[in-house]
Amino acid sequence: MTFVDNQVALRCGYGIAETGLEVLTVYGSDAPSWLTTLSSQVVTDMEAGESREMLFLDANGRISYAAGIVWSQDIAWLFTTNAQALAQFLESMKFMSRVEVSVRADLTVWGFFSPSVAEEVLATFGPIWTDPWPGITPGGTAYSPRSEEHPGQDYPARLGVIPDADTAQVHTELRKRWENISWSLETEDGYSLSTPAFATEADWRALRIAAWRPYATDIDPRTLPHELDWLRTAVHLNKGCYCGQETVARIVNLGHPPRRAVFLHLDGSSSLLPPVDAELYSGSRKVGTVRASANHFEDGPIALGLIKRTAPSGELTVRWQEGEEEHSLAAATTAIVDPSGVSWLGQSRIDRKAFSGASPRAGSGSLTIGG
């Protein structure tokens, strides 16, 4: 099947994929401090070419927007799922700040896995964003079970841009460079590649789902960053005040976000994939929804879901309706966010407090890692 070849080629660095992402730029003398004030991340100390991730939250700590950020020549490049909406939000927050925001509608965002010759080619059009997932970046913490190996540990994803007018030329250049390789190629795990791949957004989505990697398209109006284990890469718990910080800090201190992300291995007997918002049931009780789904080259149909924190682990049922037809699939679950609802930072605090006899207390200001 084509998606198998595409995903194997991508994973091995012999392809690029459409991502469905968009890009905007922010520049001006106040841009670093302004973006730091508005977001969950510190960007004032970033060096040229350095990549980070940020969230923009509402007053209740729910995710409004997410973006990867990389600096190039004093310009911040933001990779996001809806550049126009994020730009409108940023424009509304400019006030007297010396910043300019531009949506780059002339550029398409492509993804690839490093190492790849694509990095050198795409770098001629703009900076390359290096995905920090799933590392725990400075100021971050994790909500996944400590005892389990993270499936995203080998997820060397990169993003770059190609001007729409130059897409055909870039594809030709990439084919020329890849032609210098002796095809076909045998991968270490037994796959055979006959050609490089120009893959689809669905292929890219399958690989990031398998890595438990959240995108802003996975959120709903109630999503907190803790629920998707997004404090790994997108939240700096040591920074000063920003919108939603109090909720972020309180949940880290007390634990127990109301929902938790799960990885879903879907019944492959049907060719159907559940859409976003397909409902998840434990028996007759609705416990959550599907946030993204795709066909993976090894795991078959997979998905990310958000369920109630107290929902039982094990097998769930996915249900959705298309027109007048109802569909149902079995789904085996793997916990992404620990059902205990306590972060690694929270666990260390609880351990220390139990040892010292102190009682847990919520905090409403900025937090100090290990403090």
Side-chain angles (χ1 to χ4, degrees), residues 193-215:
L193 290 176
S194 58
T195 59
F198 295 93
T200 68
E201 183 181 344
D203 296 313
W204 187 257
R205 185 168 60 251
L207 294 177
R208 68 98 173 171
I209 289 174
W212 300 357
R213 211 289 176 235
Y215 272 20

Side-chain angles (χ1 to χ4, degrees), residues 353-366:
K353 286 164 184 171
F355 180 78
S356 65
S359 58
R361 180 170 58 88
S364 58
S366 61

Side-chain angles (χ1 to χ4, degrees), residues 105-173:
D106 59 316
L107 302 174
T108 298
V109 179
W110 290 81
F112 59 94
F113 279 11
S114 182
S116 172
V117 298
E119 184 157 359
E120 181 181 345
V121 175
L122 269 63
T124 63
F125 301 107
I128 302 297
W129 182 73
T130 300
D131 195 338
W133 185 264
I136 301 176
T137 57
T141 188
Y143 272 82
S144 58
R146 275 183 182 269
S147 59
E148 297 181 7
E149 192 173 82
H150 200 288
Q153 64 178 1
D154 297 318
Y155 185 67
R158 307 285 190 271
L159 298 176
V161 297
I162 300 175
D164 292 341
D166 295 331
T167 300
Q169 178 184 341
V170 172
H171 283 198
T172 299
E173 175 63 20

